Amino acid sequence: MLELLLTLATIASTIFTAILMLLPSRYVKHSPPKAVSSVSADEPKISVQVLVLGDIGRSPRMQYHAVSIAKHGGRVDMIGYKESTLHPGLVDNPLISIVPLPPPPSLLRSKTLPFIVIGPLKVLWQIWSLFHTLAYRTKPSRWLLVQNPPSIPTLFIAIIICFLRNTHLIIDWHNYGWTILAGTRGEKHPFVIISKYYEAFLGRWAPTASFTVTHAMAKQLRNKPYNIRCPIFTLHDRPAAIFQPISSPSARLAFLKNLPETAGHTNDIMGGKTKLLVSSTSWTPDEDFSLLLSALCSYSSTSTSKPLPPILAIITGKGPQKQLYLDRIASLTASDQLRNITILTSWLSVEDYATLLACADLGVCLHMSSSGVDLPMKVVDMFGAGLPVAGYGAYESWGELVKEGVNGRGFRTSGELAEVLEELFDTKGEGQEIDRLRVGAREEGKRRWDEEWDGVAGRLLGLCD
């Protein structure tokens, strides 16, 4: 009997020891903290894991977080899928490590199986890849900054990792995952209901602090169904330094000549005979591109009886509905419904996109907020480049960014957008209205990301006074 007990004790001890050895290493805070003489020192001021369960290159706000942390001497592990070009500030930065998540197997990326099968399998893959990356492929960190959405399975894994590694969790709320899902499934779909209460429960229970993109969102998170009681800080999106107005006509001329999409229209754009319109879209249902198409068709029809200049519309971005709309554009062009309208699509580098905005006459934003309390970062970038905006404004938080008649114009229907285009581009007005909006856009764009971030996130992380 004694030998059996000793044997069981030995087995239990071995298993327990193995489990302890397999546990990820934990963050240990130095007390007192080690001094940092420069940003190249071996010991950073703080360490932060920045997590995006998506393409890092298409997550500008999270990239800005990483750059700002490193700028103040913090070490950053930037974790996410590496699919497109990264922000220049992330590349070759000694304080920033890019930790790519492994993509799902091809079977899970195909559309051969129904969503009810693919969905759970994809979540299981994400659970494993996230846990393995956060627990074993990266060093323990003082903070874990997580983008939400997506919340499944990100928030669940983040809580476990923070418990195991002695890490503090910050959720950066860009929107709500369940409202995005409801846009395609409906609010009463079982997956949507589960997602809603999953997100609310973990969002309430998990974080040390939360960031939100609007005051309206912060207000919602303090009430049902979230009832978050941890500190919530509004951190508005602001333009990065790369988005700047162009004051030199020669610089504008040189860029327009060198960009293939505008090269053939340069002289007319510079002379005001053709108006350059830019819109960035994800080609998804929550950005209804048909609003802009219908408005341009109306503009084209009106131009036969009213002195309106031609429009060159450049649409940037990638997404699932792009080919659908390219086919529709071709059909409308062939049927002569887009007379004096030229629509081109493009995928530009960050540098070229920023300069294109500065060279344009008007930016158009088609973002429709699924929650009613988020804001499109593309408008922020347009203001940074001094570009006035016409945007879909039928949601609560729109007024936190765009001041009607001051730095932009809002619309709810394609008819209203057509009226805005006609008013701003009408040759009888000699451009006075759009010039006034441009002044307002430049004024709004003066407050930059660094200033906003230092006063909110920098203070919370202990990097700024």
Side-chain angles (χ1 to χ4, degrees):
M1 183 65 178
L2 181 59
E3 291 181 359
L4 177 61
L5 290 175
L6 288 173
T7 301
L8 292 175
T10 301
I11 293 173
S13 176
T14 302
I15 293 173
F16 182 70
T17 302
I19 291 174
L20 288 178
M21 292 180 67
L22 290 174
L23 288 175
S25 56
R26 289 171 61 82
Y27 174 81
V28 178
K29 183 179 180 180
H30 295 291
S31 184
K34 295 184 179 180
V36 180
S37 57
S38 70
V39 295
S40 61
D42 292 335
E43 183 68 20
K45 286 184 178 180
I46 62 166
S47 53
V48 184
Q49 292 177 330
V50 179
L51 174 61
V52 178
L53 189 57
D55 180 16
I56 297 173
R58 297 175 69 182
S59 305
R61 180 176 167 101
M62 303 310 285
Q63 293 184 90
Y64 295 165
H65 276 302
V67 172
S68 295
I69 293 166
K71 179 180 177 181
H72 290 285
R75 173 176 63 81
V76 182
D77 287 327
M78 187 79 206
I79 303 164
Y81 296 113
K82 191 177 178 182
E83 298 172 349
S84 56
T85 305
L86 300 178
H87 186 283
L90 300 182
V91 181
D92 297 326
N93 191 318
L95 286 172
I96 299 177
S97 300
I98 306 299
V99 186
L101 290 170
S106 57
L107 177 64
L108 299 184
R109 285 177 282 155
S110 68
K111 297 182 179 179
T112 55
L113 296 176
F115 175 78
I116 196 170
V117 176
I118 289 291
L121 290 177
K122 189 174 181 180
V123 170
L124 289 174
W125 171 265
Q126 290 174 335
I127 287 173
W128 164 248
S129 60
L130 274 176
F131 182 82
H132 181 259
T133 300
L134 290 170
Y136 298 109
R137 291 178 58 201
T138 54
K139 296 178 181 179
S141 295
R142 179 74 178 88
W143 300 92
L144 173 57
L145 176 59
V146 176
Q147 173 184 298
N148 187 77
S151 56
I152 301 174
T154 315
L155 297 185
F156 175 68
I157 298 301
I159 291 171
I160 294 175
I161 290 298
C162 288
F163 173 76
L164 293 176
R165 307 203 79 175
N166 191 33
T167 297
H168 288 277
L169 176 62
I170 301 174
I171 299 177
D172 191 15
W173 297 82
H174 297 192
N175 206 341
Y176 308 137
W178 72 269
T179 61
I180 296 174
L181 187 60
T184 56
R185 303 283 169 179
E187 287 193 24
K188 297 187 181 299
H189 193 282
F191 287 162
V192 175
I193 295 172
I194 292 171
S195 175
K196 178 178 181 178
Y197 287 101
Y198 163 94
E199 191 171 22
F201 176 75
L202 294 186
R204 175 170 66 249
W205 185 74
T208 302
S210 290
F211 296 144
T212 63
V213 294
T214 64
H215 293 305
M217 183 178 288
K219 182 179 178 181
Q220 272 194 1
L221 289 175
R222 292 188 179 100
N223 298 311
K224 292 181 179 180
Y226 300 93
N227 293 320
I228 292 178
R229 294 295 174 257
C230 74
I232 302 175
F233 303 93
T234 300
L235 178 59
H236 284 116
D237 285 321
R238 297 292 177 185
I242 195 171
F243 294 94
Q244 297 288 345
I246 283 184
S247 56
S248 168
S250 59
R252 187 186 188 213
L253 175 65
F255 177 81
L256 293 174
K257 277 187 174 180
N258 290 327
L259 190 69
E261 290 79 5
T262 57
H265 305 266
T266 299
N267 292 334
D268 287 339
I269 294 172
M270 292 297 296
K273 296 179 180 179
T274 294
K275 297 301 180 181
L276 178 55
L277 181 152
V278 177
S279 181
S280 174
T281 179
S282 58
W283 302 100
T284 53
D286 66 340
E287 294 190 348
D288 187 1
F289 188 73
S290 64
L291 281 174
L292 178 57
L293 265 186
S294 298
L296 290 175
C297 287
S298 297
Y299 180 95
S300 175
S301 177
T302 304
S303 67
T304 59
S305 57
K306 189 176 181 179
L308 295 173
I311 291 177
L312 171 61
I314 298 181
I315 316 300
T316 70
K318 296 178 181 179
Q321 293 188 336
K322 182 176 180 179
Q323 190 57 50
L324 172 70
Y325 281 109
L326 288 179
D327 294 340
R328 188 174 171 189
I329 291 168
S331 175
L332 291 170
T333 302
S335 60
D336 207 27
Q337 295 184 60
L338 288 174
R339 190 184 306 120
N340 83 340
I341 305 290
T342 303
I343 302 176
L344 302 175
T345 61
S346 182
W347 179 253
L348 304 173
S349 68
V350 175
E351 294 84 356
D352 283 348
Y353 174 65
T355 309
L356 176 64
L357 294 183
C359 291
D361 295 295
L362 182 68
V364 173
C365 176
L366 303 170
H367 174 78
M368 295 180 175
S369 173
S370 64
S371 63
V373 292
D374 71 320
L375 280 173
M377 195 164 188
K378 64 192 73 178
V379 174
V380 174
D381 296 336
M382 291 173 181
F383 285 161
L387 180 64
V389 174
Y392 182 83
Y395 52 95
E396 181 181 350
S397 56
W398 176 251
E400 286 190 37
L401 180 60
V402 178
K403 308 298 185 291
E404 184 68 24
V406 176
N407 52 28
R409 298 284 297 275
F411 61 86
R412 294 170 180 257
T413 66
S414 61
E416 290 181 4
L417 175 56
E419 290 176 5
V420 169
L421 296 179
E422 292 166 20
E423 288 176 20
L424 296 182
F425 292 161
D426 189 347
T427 54
K428 291 183 178 180
E430 299 181 349
Q432 293 181 2
E433 174 68 10
I434 202 166
D435 287 344
R436 187 164 60 83
L437 294 180
R438 188 179 297 278
V439 171
R442 291 193 177 195
E443 186 65 29
E444 181 66 30
K446 285 181 179 179
R447 183 171 175 84
R448 294 284 160 166
W449 170 262
D450 286 343
E451 182 182 354
E452 183 82 9
W453 191 91
D454 289 356
V456 180
R459 294 181 64 184
L460 176 64
L461 296 174
L463 292 171
C464 303
D465 297 329

PDB file of all heavy atoms in Angstrom, residues 140-154:
ATOM      1  N   PRO A 140       7.319  37.789 -22.157  1.00  0.00           N
ATOM      2  CA  PRO A 140       6.242  38.339 -21.318  1.00  0.00           C
ATOM      3  C   PRO A 140       6.285  39.860 -21.316  1.00  0.00           C
ATOM      4  O   PRO A 140       7.358  40.457 -21.337  1.00  0.00           O
ATOM      5  CB  PRO A 140       6.536  37.756 -19.929  1.00  0.00           C
ATOM      6  CG  PRO A 140       7.991  37.413 -19.960  1.00  0.00           C
ATOM      7  CD  PRO A 140       8.306  37.023 -21.367  1.00  0.00           C
ATOM      8  N   SER A 141       5.125  40.487 -21.299  1.00  0.00           N
ATOM      9  CA  SER A 141       5.037  41.937 -21.379  1.00  0.00           C
ATOM     10  C   SER A 141       4.222  42.500 -20.225  1.00  0.00           C
ATOM     11  O   SER A 141       3.398  41.809 -19.627  1.00  0.00           O
ATOM     12  CB  SER A 141       4.400  42.360 -22.709  1.00  0.00           C
ATOM     13  OG  SER A 141       5.215  42.007 -23.804  1.00  0.00           O
ATOM     14  N   ARG A 142       4.455  43.768 -19.969  1.00  0.00           N
ATOM     15  CA  ARG A 142       3.712  44.456 -18.913  1.00  0.00           C
ATOM     16  C   ARG A 142       2.265  44.670 -19.335  1.00  0.00           C
ATOM     17  O   ARG A 142       1.350  44.601 -18.517  1.00  0.00           O
ATOM     18  CB  ARG A 142       4.387  45.803 -18.622  1.00  0.00           C
ATOM     19  CG  ARG A 142       3.690  46.635 -17.537  1.00  0.00           C
ATOM     20  CD  ARG A 142       3.948  46.056 -16.162  1.00  0.00           C
ATOM     21  NE  ARG A 142       3.345  46.849 -15.111  1.00  0.00           N
ATOM     22  CZ  ARG A 142       2.099  46.697 -14.654  1.00  0.00           C
ATOM     23  NH1 ARG A 142       1.312  45.777 -15.195  1.00  0.00           N
ATOM     24  NH2 ARG A 142       1.638  47.462 -13.684  1.00  0.00           N
ATOM     25  N   TRP A 143       2.056  44.959 -20.622  1.00  0.00           N
ATOM     26  CA  TRP A 143       0.727  45.281 -21.125  1.00  0.00           C
ATOM     27  C   TRP A 143       0.405  44.450 -22.360  1.00  0.00           C
ATOM     28  O   TRP A 143       1.282  44.148 -23.162  1.00  0.00           O
ATOM     29  CB  TRP A 143       0.634  46.767 -21.514  1.00  0.00           C
ATOM     30  CG  TRP A 143       0.898  47.736 -20.409  1.00  0.00           C
ATOM     31  CD1 TRP A 143       2.093  48.306 -20.080  1.00  0.00           C
ATOM     32  CD2 TRP A 143      -0.052  48.252 -19.474  1.00  0.00           C
ATOM     33  NE1 TRP A 143       1.950  49.156 -19.009  1.00  0.00           N
ATOM     34  CE2 TRP A 143       0.630  49.140 -18.617  1.00  0.00           C
ATOM     35  CE3 TRP A 143      -1.422  48.062 -19.285  1.00  0.00           C
ATOM     36  CZ2 TRP A 143       0.000  49.831 -17.592  1.00  0.00           C
ATOM     37  CZ3 TRP A 143      -2.055  48.750 -18.261  1.00  0.00           C
ATOM     38  CH2 TRP A 143      -1.348  49.630 -17.431  1.00  0.00           C
ATOM     39  N   LEU A 144      -0.864  44.139 -22.516  1.00  0.00           N
ATOM     40  CA  LEU A 144      -1.381  43.551 -23.754  1.00  0.00           C
ATOM     41  C   LEU A 144      -2.492  44.464 -24.255  1.00  0.00           C
ATOM     42  O   LEU A 144      -3.527  44.624 -23.600  1.00  0.00           O
ATOM     43  CB  LEU A 144      -1.918  42.138 -23.509  1.00  0.00           C
ATOM     44  CG  LEU A 144      -2.642  41.466 -24.695  1.00  0.00           C
ATOM     45  CD1 LEU A 144      -1.741  41.389 -25.923  1.00  0.00           C
ATOM     46  CD2 LEU A 144      -3.132  40.069 -24.303  1.00  0.00           C
ATOM     47  N   LEU A 145      -2.265  45.083 -25.416  1.00  0.00           N
ATOM     48  CA  LEU A 145      -3.228  45.999 -26.017  1.00  0.00           C
ATOM     49  C   LEU A 145      -3.922  45.278 -27.171  1.00  0.00           C
ATOM     50  O   LEU A 145      -3.278  44.903 -28.161  1.00  0.00           O
ATOM     51  CB  LEU A 145      -2.517  47.260 -26.518  1.00  0.00           C
ATOM     52  CG  LEU A 145      -3.354  48.305 -27.256  1.00  0.00           C
ATOM     53  CD1 LEU A 145      -4.496  48.813 -26.391  1.00  0.00           C
ATOM     54  CD2 LEU A 145      -2.476  49.472 -27.722  1.00  0.00           C
ATOM     55  N   VAL A 146      -5.225  45.079 -27.047  1.00  0.00           N
ATOM     56  CA  VAL A 146      -5.983  44.249 -27.981  1.00  0.00           C
ATOM     57  C   VAL A 146      -6.990  45.088 -28.746  1.00  0.00           C
ATOM     58  O   VAL A 146      -7.746  45.865 -28.160  1.00  0.00           O
ATOM     59  CB  VAL A 146      -6.732  43.128 -27.219  1.00  0.00           C
ATOM     60  CG1 VAL A 146      -7.611  42.327 -28.169  1.00  0.00           C
ATOM     61  CG2 VAL A 146      -5.745  42.213 -26.524  1.00  0.00           C
ATOM     62  N   GLN A 147      -6.996  44.912 -30.068  1.00  0.00           N
ATOM     63  CA  GLN A 147      -8.018  45.566 -30.891  1.00  0.00           C
ATOM     64  C   GLN A 147      -9.316  44.780 -30.829  1.00  0.00           C
ATOM     65  O   GLN A 147      -9.333  43.564 -30.951  1.00  0.00           O
ATOM     66  CB  GLN A 147      -7.545  45.635 -32.345  1.00  0.00           C
ATOM     67  CG  GLN A 147      -8.611  46.137 -33.308  1.00  0.00           C
ATOM     68  CD  GLN A 147      -8.148  46.103 -34.742  1.00  0.00           C
ATOM     69  OE1 GLN A 147      -7.192  46.771 -35.106  1.00  0.00           O
ATOM     70  NE2 GLN A 147      -8.837  45.331 -35.584  1.00  0.00           N
ATOM     71  N   ASN A 148     -10.415  45.491 -30.620  1.00  0.00           N
ATOM     72  CA  ASN A 148     -11.742  44.893 -30.674  1.00  0.00           C
ATOM     73  C   ASN A 148     -12.645  45.748 -31.563  1.00  0.00           C
ATOM     74  O   ASN A 148     -12.722  46.960 -31.362  1.00  0.00           O
ATOM     75  CB  ASN A 148     -12.363  44.817 -29.277  1.00  0.00           C
ATOM     76  CG  ASN A 148     -13.674  44.050 -29.283  1.00  0.00           C
ATOM     77  OD1 ASN A 148     -13.676  42.836 -29.331  1.00  0.00           O
ATOM     78  ND2 ASN A 148     -14.790  44.765 -29.255  1.00  0.00           N
ATOM     79  N   PRO A 149     -13.343  45.131 -32.534  1.00  0.00           N
ATOM     80  CA  PRO A 149     -13.387  43.727 -32.904  1.00  0.00           C
ATOM     81  C   PRO A 149     -12.176  43.304 -33.732  1.00  0.00           C
ATOM     82  O   PRO A 149     -11.416  44.184 -34.135  1.00  0.00           O
ATOM     83  CB  PRO A 149     -14.670  43.661 -33.725  1.00  0.00           C
ATOM     84  CG  PRO A 149     -14.836  45.015 -34.327  1.00  0.00           C
ATOM     85  CD  PRO A 149     -14.270  45.966 -33.334  1.00  0.00           C
ATOM     86  N   PRO A 150     -12.016  41.973 -33.942  1.00  0.00           N
ATOM     87  CA  PRO A 150     -12.921  40.903 -33.532  1.00  0.00           C
ATOM     88  C   PRO A 150     -12.740  40.549 -32.052  1.00  0.00           C
ATOM     89  O   PRO A 150     -11.636  40.646 -31.520  1.00  0.00           O
ATOM     90  CB  PRO A 150     -12.513  39.725 -34.426  1.00  0.00           C
ATOM     91  CG  PRO A 150     -11.056  39.956 -34.675  1.00  0.00           C
ATOM     92  CD  PRO A 150     -10.883  41.447 -34.753  1.00  0.00           C
ATOM     93  N   SER A 151     -13.815  40.149 -31.437  1.00  0.00           N
ATOM     94  CA  SER A 151     -13.762  39.768 -30.024  1.00  0.00           C
ATOM     95  C   SER A 151     -13.661  38.262 -29.831  1.00  0.00           C
ATOM     96  O   SER A 151     -13.216  37.803 -28.781  1.00  0.00           O
ATOM     97  CB  SER A 151     -15.011  40.284 -29.298  1.00  0.00           C
ATOM     98  OG  SER A 151     -16.189  39.798 -29.924  1.00  0.00           O
ATOM     99  N   ILE A 152     -14.091  37.483 -30.838  1.00  0.00           N
ATOM    100  CA  ILE A 152     -14.030  36.021 -30.774  1.00  0.00           C
ATOM    101  C   ILE A 152     -12.892  35.545 -31.665  1.00  0.00           C
ATOM    102  O   ILE A 152     -12.879  35.839 -32.857  1.00  0.00           O
ATOM    103  CB  ILE A 152     -15.355  35.382 -31.249  1.00  0.00           C
ATOM    104  CG1 ILE A 152     -16.531  35.853 -30.381  1.00  0.00           C
ATOM    105  CG2 ILE A 152     -15.273  33.868 -31.247  1.00  0.00           C
ATOM    106  CD1 ILE A 152     -17.885  35.377 -30.863  1.00  0.00           C
ATOM    107  N   PRO A 153     -11.916  34.814 -31.130  1.00  0.00           N
ATOM    108  CA  PRO A 153     -11.754  34.420 -29.722  1.00  0.00           C
ATOM    109  C   PRO A 153     -10.779  35.328 -28.975  1.00  0.00           C
ATOM    110  O   PRO A 153     -10.280  34.971 -27.918  1.00  0.00           O
ATOM    111  CB  PRO A 153     -11.159  33.015 -29.863  1.00  0.00           C
ATOM    112  CG  PRO A 153     -10.262  33.140 -31.067  1.00  0.00           C
ATOM    113  CD  PRO A 153     -10.937  34.114 -31.998  1.00  0.00           C
ATOM    114  N   THR A 154     -10.500  36.518 -29.521  1.00  0.00           N
ATOM    115  CA  THR A 154      -9.420  37.368 -29.023  1.00  0.00           C
ATOM    116  C   THR A 154      -9.520  37.665 -27.531  1.00  0.00           C
ATOM    117  O   THR A 154      -8.545  37.505 -26.791  1.00  0.00           O
ATOM    118  CB  THR A 154      -9.385  38.694 -29.806  1.00  0.00           C
ATOM    119  OG1 THR A 154      -9.529  38.424 -31.191  1.00  0.00           O
ATOM    120  CG2 THR A 154      -8.083  39.426 -29.565  1.00  0.00           C
TER     121      THR A 154
END
